[in-house]
Amino acid sequence: MQDDSKKKRETLSEAAYQAIKRDITQGKLRPGDVLGEERLCEELAVSRTPIRAALQRLVYEGLAQTDDNKSVRVLQVTQEDIVQITQVRRELETLAVRLLKDKLTPEGIRRLRHLCDEEKRLAAVETADYLALIDRDYDLHVALAELTGNQFLLDTMKRMKTKSSQFLVLSGTMKKYGITGVGEHEEIIGFLESGQYDYAEVAIRNHINAICDRILE
Amino acid sequence: MQDDSKKKRETLSEAAYQAIKRDITQGKLRPGDVLGEERLCEELAVSRTPIRAALQRLVYEGLAQTDDNKSVRVLQVTQEDIVQITQVRRELETLAVRLLKDKLTPEGIRRLRHLCDEEKRLAAVETADYLALIDRDYDLHVALAELTGNQFLLDTMKRMKTKSSQFLVLSGTMKKYGITGVGEHEEIIGFLESGQYDYAEVAIRNHINAICDRILE
DNA sequence: CTCTCGAAAAATGTATACAATATCAAAAAT
DNA sequence: ATTTTTGATATTGTATACATTTTTCGAGAG
């Protein structure tokens, strides 16, 4: 619902938020780690004000947590969390495909194809960069939501994928199944290109189900 | 995703957030109104620090907006916004009912029945209190999500219903169709009580569709 | 009269000082 | 030895001062 489209001059709060979020989703900061304000101040060389703003946002976004009034910690990501998010994702990703039926332009298809190819390229490399692969996975699913034109769906997709990314890094699932997932994306995009939306919907439902199975191992 | 269950001593930021949010969802603050920090400081008799925290949260929650780096304003709620949210709601409310099939306890059913009766009582009064009715509507749908045990679904439901509440107040839709909606709730809860989950799912889908129709008038 | 430019005013972003609370460790009591 | 108390320390919540940006609005050019 919040609108990233309006460009705001890069503020220290924003930079701090991006930096800390990146450290969390890339696994440098691990679940349970305390996000002490003073420590982050030194590390990022800013005062507490922007740090606090960043932490608030992370808490609201579900990447950090603050019980009682004590310190903020990186939130645990449990399998259960991901299963619950996946239950929601199954509904919303298929919804996205249905909505695309009336919304997808040649321009949009090109964009999806480009993201997919990019992902293939990354996965093809011998010693793949899994963090980069997770980012492309994020981009692809978010793009799918964005192309529906439904702002709320887009916002929700971002929340789901952000949390999922954190899990993918920590669990090593991407390392194990990265290539498989890329193939599934390929299939979905293919159906969208050829206008076979019903097949695309089935394919994306299978994709989400497959993701869930891989996680549960 | 954020967890309201952890009790934190009521902080000034929290109080300010609740106060401003209430004014927005109850229509005292109208879309486009500027949320000037100094003005809110005077009004709520606190410094800018807690006010800023509250505003940040409102922006993140989708009730306010900040383009560029200028002032924060109450976000416009367009019909289009509500239609988009409703597209998502249709999927997630039916998902909630499906999930309840394995989760709903007698205790949970009692809670839903209680909320529903409360709502009926409110709607039965000649000069109904529509703001209260909108609150009960919020409570009922949120309870439905909460009883699934899916934290992400609950969080998303809160976001959807918060935005919807704002719209219901501003549009006067509840005033026109409040009674109708209560009847539909009654039907859904009835099916859940008798364990007819398939019918409940159809009923809630119809309910969401009906809401969308009423909005589009 | 309209438009542009720029300085004054207002508002937001940031830093820091102070207050309240939580944390932790050492001493006292059992 | 274990638990409790208590005070020192660290950390967060709040207020405020300062820096930077945005807005306003009038003077002057065209």
Side-chain angles (χ1 to χ4, degrees), chain B residues 24-123:
Chain B
I24 293 177
T25 55
Q26 297 201 350
K28 277 183 209 166
L29 287 167
R30 305 182 65 87
D33 284 359
V34 173
L35 298 173
E37 297 178 2
E38 295 288 4
R39 198 181 57 76
L40 291 168
C41 285
E42 285 184 28
E43 202 162 325
L44 301 176
V46 294
S47 81
R48 280 178 59 208
T49 308
I51 295 292
R52 285 178 65 81
L55 291 183
Q56 266 191 255
R57 191 167 162 192
L58 289 166
V59 167
Y60 194 81
E61 214 171 33
L63 288 179
Q65 184 179 228
T66 166
D67 331 291
D68 250 346
N69 284 55
K70 54 182 202 224
S71 53
V72 175
R73 289 166 178 275
V74 177
L75 191 57
Q76 202 74 27
V77 215
T78 64
Q79 268 197 355
E80 182 61 18
D81 291 333
I82 301 297
V83 168
Q84 293 185 348
I85 287 178
T86 305
Q87 288 176 333
V88 174
R89 268 188 74 187
R90 183 165 23 234
E91 305 305 318
L92 296 193
E93 301 247 17
T94 52
L95 170 64
V97 168
R98 281 198 299 282
L99 293 176
L100 283 178
K101 194 167 182 176
D102 298 322
K103 290 285 187 174
L104 201 49
T105 61
E107 169 67 28
I109 290 178
R110 265 199 305 280
R111 185 166 153 213
L112 291 174
R113 167 54 63 190
H114 177 73
L115 285 166
C116 191
D117 288 346
E118 193 72 11
E119 203 179 32
K120 262 199 298 186
R121 198 179 54 72
L122 275 170

Side-chain angles (χ1 to χ4, degrees), chain A residues 10-102:
Chain A
E10 175 93 336
T11 187
L12 293 182
S13 313
E14 181 70 17
Y17 163 76
Q18 294 292 349
I20 302 171
K21 175 176 177 176
R22 189 165 150 281
D23 283 351
I24 293 177
T25 55
Q26 297 200 351
K28 277 182 207 167
L29 287 167
R30 305 181 66 87
D33 285 359
V34 173
L35 298 172
E37 297 178 2
E38 294 289 4
R39 198 182 58 75
L40 291 168
C41 285
E42 286 184 28
E43 200 161 325
L44 301 175
V46 294
S47 80
R48 279 179 59 209
T49 308
I51 294 293
R52 284 178 64 81
L55 292 183
Q56 261 193 260
R57 192 168 161 191
L58 289 166
V59 167
Y60 194 82
E61 215 171 34
L63 289 179
Q65 184 178 228
T66 165
D67 330 289
D68 251 348
N69 284 56
K70 52 182 204 220
S71 53
V72 176
R73 289 165 179 277
V74 178
L75 191 58
Q76 202 74 27
V77 215
T78 64
Q79 267 197 355
E80 181 61 16
D81 290 333
I82 300 299
V83 167
Q84 293 185 346
I85 287 178
T86 305
Q87 288 177 332
V88 174
R89 269 187 75 187
R90 182 165 24 233
E91 304 305 318
L92 296 192
E93 300 248 17
T94 52
L95 170 65
V97 168
R98 280 197 300 282
L99 293 175
L100 283 179
K101 193 168 182 177
D102 298 322

Side-chain angles (χ1 to χ4, degrees), chain A residues 13-216:
Chain A
S13 313
E14 181 70 17
Y17 163 76
Q18 294 292 349
I20 302 171
K21 175 176 177 176
R22 189 165 150 281
D23 283 351
I24 293 177
T25 55
Q26 297 200 351
K28 277 182 207 167
L29 287 167
R30 305 181 66 87
D33 285 359
V34 173
L35 298 172
E37 297 178 2
E38 294 289 4
R39 198 182 58 75
L40 291 168
C41 285
E42 286 184 28
E43 200 161 325
L44 301 175
V46 294
S47 80
R48 279 179 59 209
T49 308
I51 294 293
R52 284 178 64 81
L55 292 183
Q56 261 193 260
R57 192 168 161 191
L58 289 166
V59 167
Y60 194 82
E61 215 171 34
L63 289 179
Q65 184 178 228
T66 165
D67 330 289
D68 251 348
N69 284 56
K70 52 182 204 220
S71 53
V72 176
R73 289 165 179 277
V74 178
L75 191 58
Q76 202 74 27
V77 215
T78 64
Q79 267 197 355
E80 181 61 16
D81 290 333
I82 300 299
V83 167
Q84 293 185 346
I85 287 178
T86 305
Q87 288 177 332
V88 174
R89 269 187 75 187
R90 182 165 24 233
E91 304 305 318
L92 296 192
E93 300 248 17
T94 52
L95 170 65
V97 168
R98 280 197 300 282
L99 293 175
L100 283 179
K101 193 168 182 177
D102 298 322
K103 290 285 187 176
L104 200 49
T105 61
E107 169 67 30
I109 289 178
R110 264 200 305 280
R111 186 167 152 212
L112 290 176
R113 168 54 64 191
H114 177 73
L115 285 167
C116 192
D117 288 346
E118 192 74 9
E119 204 179 31
K120 261 199 299 186
R121 197 179 53 72
L122 275 170
V125 176
E126 196 65 33
T127 55
D129 179 348
Y130 292 105
L131 290 180
L133 199 55
I134 288 171
D135 279 349
R136 288 301 86 68
D137 180 47
Y138 175 96
D139 292 338
L140 187 62
H141 283 276
V142 166
L144 218 64
E146 188 173 358
L147 291 169
T148 66
N150 186 317
Q151 182 67 39
F152 188 85
L153 179 58
L154 170 59
D155 183 44
T156 308
M157 184 68 77
K158 283 181 182 173
R159 295 166 67 84
M160 295 190 293
K161 287 301 296 179
T162 296
K163 200 67 190 166
S164 297
S165 292
Q166 182 191 10
F167 184 84
L168 285 175
V169 172
L170 293 172
S171 66
T173 304
M174 182 59 86
K175 193 159 185 170
K176 229 169 158 180
Y177 295 108
I179 317 294
T180 316
V182 173
E184 290 164 7
H185 286 174
E186 178 86 22
E187 188 190 10
I188 296 162
I189 305 298
F191 284 134
L192 290 176
E193 280 177 331
S194 57
Q196 298 173 287
Y197 290 94
D198 292 346
Y199 285 120
E201 189 180 331
V202 173
I204 203 164
R205 176 173 281 116
N206 289 340
H207 177 49
I208 304 296
N209 286 334
I211 289 171
C212 202
D213 289 345
R214 287 170 213 152
I215 287 167
L216 286 177

